[in-house]
Amino acid sequence: MAYKVDQEYDYLFKVVLIGDSGVGKSNILSRFTRNEFCLESKSTIGVEFATRTLQIEGKTVKAQIWDTAGQERYRAITSAYYRGAVGALLVYDITKRQTFDNVQRWLRELRDHADSNIVIMLAGNKSDLNHLRAVSSETAQVLAEKEGLSFLETSALESFNVEQAFQTILIDIYHIISKKALAAEEAASGIGIPQGTTINVGNLSGNFGRRACCSN
Ligand SMILES: Nc1nc2c(ncn2[C@@H]2O[C@H](COP(=O)(O)OP(=O)(O)OP(=O)(O)O)[C@@H](O)[C@H]2O)c(=O)[nH]1
Ligand SMILES: [Mg+2]
């Protein structure tokens, strides 16, 4: 009988969604994993996660995306939420200035609890509400550059840039991981060690026949 084993992937990447309550984290997640949107979604309580498997540069990558409440009182234990996360989508609402001002707070939380190499993307959600805009994309871009984050405006409602946002995070993670794997492979096989020129010093006294000379 042919059936697909769930473990059929090359990489499993944990990505966390963070940002203030009501910015649209849960809808971004449901749009990406189930292509669903809900206008009257309730605040998340505790932690939820959903997965989606996709192809990145010929590899099967399973993205496990975690979602929790932006509101402090509903939040699950922070350290467990961030443990093992290799990516983060930090969401604010382009129509609510306060949610953008709090981005620094979320970055601090990431710095305190997540791995220092975590890939972070800033997402200004609800781009469909341009007439109610309170944060310009230029302002957000400046902050993103200052903090070394990628940046996109998204709309979970219109399904705009949601796919792109996750793709960018996952590709960045994949590049970091594959670079690390390559470095480890090279170190193991000795390829990474600087190669020297072999010179013949046969006339030197003693038992030296050949010596390797490292040029760098
Ligand atoms: N217009 C518009 N509304 C959106 C968009 N994304 C989410 N919303 C709405 O914003 C509200 C909050 O969305 P949620 O996804 O529940 O927000 P959340 O960030 O998960 O909130 P917490 O779970 O409380 O942290 C809901 O009414 C959604 O329908 C969007 O792209 N455009
Ligand atoms: Mg939610």
Side-chain angles (χ1 to χ4, degrees):
M1 190 175 72
Y3 61 92
K4 208 170 156 80
V5 180
D6 194 37
Q7 294 263 319
E8 276 184 6
Y9 51 82
D10 298 302
Y11 296 97
L12 175 72
F13 294 158
K14 174 177 172 181
V15 175
V16 290
L17 280 160
I18 50 170
D20 282 8
S21 181
V23 297
K25 299 181 296 297
S26 299
N27 276 282
I28 287 177
L29 177 64
S30 63
R31 176 61 80 193
F32 182 64
T33 56
R34 303 191 298 275
N35 201 17
E36 283 173 14
F37 179 84
C38 171
L39 255 181
E40 278 137 36
S41 60
K42 293 195 178 71
S43 237
T44 307
I45 297 176
V47 175
E48 291 169 2
F49 75 81
T51 61
R52 185 171 145 192
T53 302
L54 56 171
Q55 293 293 311
I56 292 178
E57 296 183 9
K59 299 283 182 200
T60 305
V61 171
K62 185 167 181 170
Q64 187 186 71
I65 300 148
W66 291 48
D67 179 28
T68 188
Q71 247 174 303
E72 203 79 49
R73 65 191 164 121
Y74 289 140
R75 301 197 63 203
I77 308 150
T78 313
S79 51
Y81 189 66
Y82 291 109
R83 191 172 304 132
V86 285
L89 186 64
L90 201 179
V91 188
Y92 69 92
D93 176 343
I94 68 152
T95 72
K96 295 216 166 60
R97 179 75 204 193
Q98 186 64 45
T99 66
F100 179 73
D101 293 339
N102 281 338
V103 164
Q104 292 288 359
R105 224 200 91 227
W106 289 107
L107 285 174
R108 228 175 299 133
E109 182 158 309
L110 274 176
R111 249 172 247 133
D112 289 348
H113 297 281
D115 188 281
S116 56
N117 291 318
I118 193 166
V119 170
I120 310 168
M121 165 163 272
L122 180 66
N125 192 39
K126 308 195 187 180
S127 67
D128 53 285
L129 300 177
N130 199 36
H131 54 293
L132 300 173
R133 181 185 284 277
V135 182
S136 73
S137 51
E138 291 76 19
T139 305
Q141 185 68 56
V142 167
L143 176 71
E145 268 165 35
K146 184 174 143 252
E147 299 291 344
L149 324 170
S150 351
F151 167 66
L152 274 180
E153 286 194 349
T154 57
S155 169
L157 186 150
E158 289 184 340
S159 197
F160 171 70
N161 269 349
V162 172
E163 187 81 18
Q164 185 68 34
F166 283 109
Q167 285 267 358
T168 305
I169 294 176
L170 296 169
I171 288 170
D172 282 0
I173 297 168
Y174 177 72
H175 284 160
I176 291 172
I177 301 262
S178 49
K179 223 184 274 174
K180 268 191 196 161
L182 191 67
E185 247 172 57
E186 283 181 352
S189 64
I191 300 167
I193 299 165
Q195 298 292 296
T197 316
T198 302
I199 54 168
N200 195 337
V201 287
N203 288 340
L204 284 177
S205 60
N207 293 326
F208 308 109
R210 282 148 51 103
R211 290 182 71 193
C213 172
C214 282
S215 52
N216 49 6

